[in-house]
Amino acid sequence: MDVLIGYVETHGRSGTEALLEGFPILSRKKIFYKGRELEEMDLEAILRRHPQVVFVDELAHTNVEGCRNRKRWEDVMELLDAGINVVSVINIQPFESLKDDIMGISGIEVKERVPDRIERKVETEVLPTVSVHSEKILACVSSNAVIPRRVIRLASRYNTSFVALYVQTPAEASGKIKLSSQRHLLNHFKLVTELGGQVVQVSHRSVPDAITTICREQNIKTVCMGLPTLRMPQTLFNIGRYRKFIRDLAQMKIDLIIIAS
């Protein structure tokens, strides 16, 4: 089978780059725009080559002026019309009909969008969607905190998945947690699911230990959490435990992002 990598954005990930080895990769088209040299997918070269299958990433991308089409999804439609099978990846956020729902749920306006009709086109003419991204972002969720918008932005920007982790400590065991807090958690679990994330709920006496365990199990590379709560008289103990947590993440080469509320 004649397979061609038309455009795949690896974001510098060695794992993603390794998956592309052995496949012919099309050179990108260079366009000068406002004094800068930019790279775009070379649609004309793909049409001339006419492979059986071409991989095209980032369907919602807006092409720079001077390209044949304004949006990359329009490039894909042209490839399909030419009889070329296209493999691509897209999250639910960019679909036009979901823009108001995504804005209402996350507070984020998705500016790069695709029309719903491309989903119908994909169902009949595009090969099954595959993902070459295995690294994940972990969002730590508590009974009184929201899903950080930055987590959703990071996952969308790097086209990777995210996991929302809630650690149920003995203090929040069944019967002890307030009904309003339960509703809060359920609403945010629903939000995670609707945005394509994964919800993980575990019971553990130590939140830091639970986080490091999930990081090992889920191939987490970035952890996002709020500022730690340090109250007397346990401040010194909590600081020591927090330092150990930082060391554990460093040993696993996991980035930690602290998000102020």
Side-chain angles (χ1 to χ4, degrees):
M1 179 179 290
D2 183 16
V3 178
L4 178 68
I5 304 298
Y7 190 100
V8 171
E9 188 59 68
T10 66
H11 299 289
R13 291 189 177 93
S14 58
T16 303
E17 292 170 353
L19 290 173
L20 300 180
E21 292 179 2
F23 291 99
I25 300 176
L26 184 72
S27 297
R28 296 181 181 181
K29 184 177 183 179
K30 298 184 185 299
I31 298 177
F32 284 92
Y33 180 70
K34 293 186 177 180
R36 296 175 57 197
E37 184 182 71
L38 303 176
E39 293 183 338
E40 292 288 356
M41 184 180 76
D42 195 336
L43 173 62
E44 292 81 2
I46 298 174
L47 290 170
R48 287 194 300 269
R49 164 79 179 268
H50 206 280
Q52 289 176 281
V53 179
V54 62
F55 283 76
V56 178
D57 202 3
E58 299 188 354
L59 290 188
H61 170 74
T62 300
N63 295 328
V64 70
E65 288 185 18
C67 289
R68 185 158 164 163
N69 296 305
R70 180 174 175 272
K71 303 288 290 187
R72 184 162 295 154
W73 66 263
E74 293 176 313
D75 294 339
V76 167
M77 299 295 277
E78 193 166 341
L79 293 172
L80 291 170
D81 289 340
I84 300 172
N85 292 304
V86 180
V87 176
S88 190
V89 177
I90 189 168
N91 296 321
I92 65 168
Q93 292 97 317
F95 285 110
E96 189 72 37
S97 65
L98 297 177
K99 65 177 182 178
D100 293 335
D101 293 330
I102 298 297
M103 181 67 179
I105 293 170
S106 66
I108 300 172
E109 180 183 4
V110 180
K111 296 182 179 179
E112 298 274 39
R113 298 195 292 267
V114 299
D116 289 11
R117 62 189 173 91
I118 195 166
E119 182 182 20
R120 293 190 292 271
K121 190 81 170 177
V122 165
E123 288 177 354
T124 58
E125 296 189 39
V126 180
L127 292 177
T129 299
V130 297
S131 176
V132 295
H133 303 285
S134 59
E135 298 176 359
K136 299 178 183 178
I137 296 174
L138 179 70
C140 301
V141 183
S142 68
S143 59
N144 57 5
V146 299
I147 299 293
R149 294 179 181 177
R150 188 173 178 183
V151 175
I152 302 172
R153 292 193 188 102
L154 284 171
S156 178
R157 178 181 177 183
Y158 293 108
N159 195 26
T160 190
S161 57
F162 71 97
V163 177
L165 171 65
Y166 168 59
V167 181
Q168 186 180 55
T169 62
E172 292 188 346
S174 300
K176 295 183 179 180
I177 187 171
K178 296 179 180 179
L179 184 60
S180 59
S181 297
Q182 292 180 21
R183 292 198 188 99
H184 174 91
L185 284 170
L186 290 175
N187 286 337
H188 283 87
F189 291 165
K190 180 181 178 182
L191 165 64
V192 171
T193 303
E194 290 176 343
L195 293 178
Q198 175 188 359
V199 175
V200 175
Q201 182 175 350
V202 298
S203 298
H204 206 290
R205 303 187 70 86
S206 170
V207 173
D209 289 347
I211 294 173
T212 53
T213 298
I214 295 300
C215 285
R216 291 190 184 96
E217 295 175 352
Q218 298 271 358
N219 190 34
I220 301 297
K221 294 301 179 184
T222 303
V223 172
C224 296
M225 61 184 297
L227 290 169
T229 301
L230 301 176
R231 296 191 180 96
M232 294 298 288
Q234 293 184 321
T235 298
L236 293 178
F237 171 74
N238 287 336
I239 289 177
R241 186 169 58 183
Y242 184 67
R243 285 177 176 170
K244 178 182 180 300
F245 171 62
I246 298 297
R247 288 196 300 270
D248 290 341
L249 292 183
Q251 289 175 357
M252 293 187 287
K253 297 182 180 180
I254 295 174
D255 296 326
L256 174 63
I257 299 177
I258 302 295
I259 302 176
S261 58

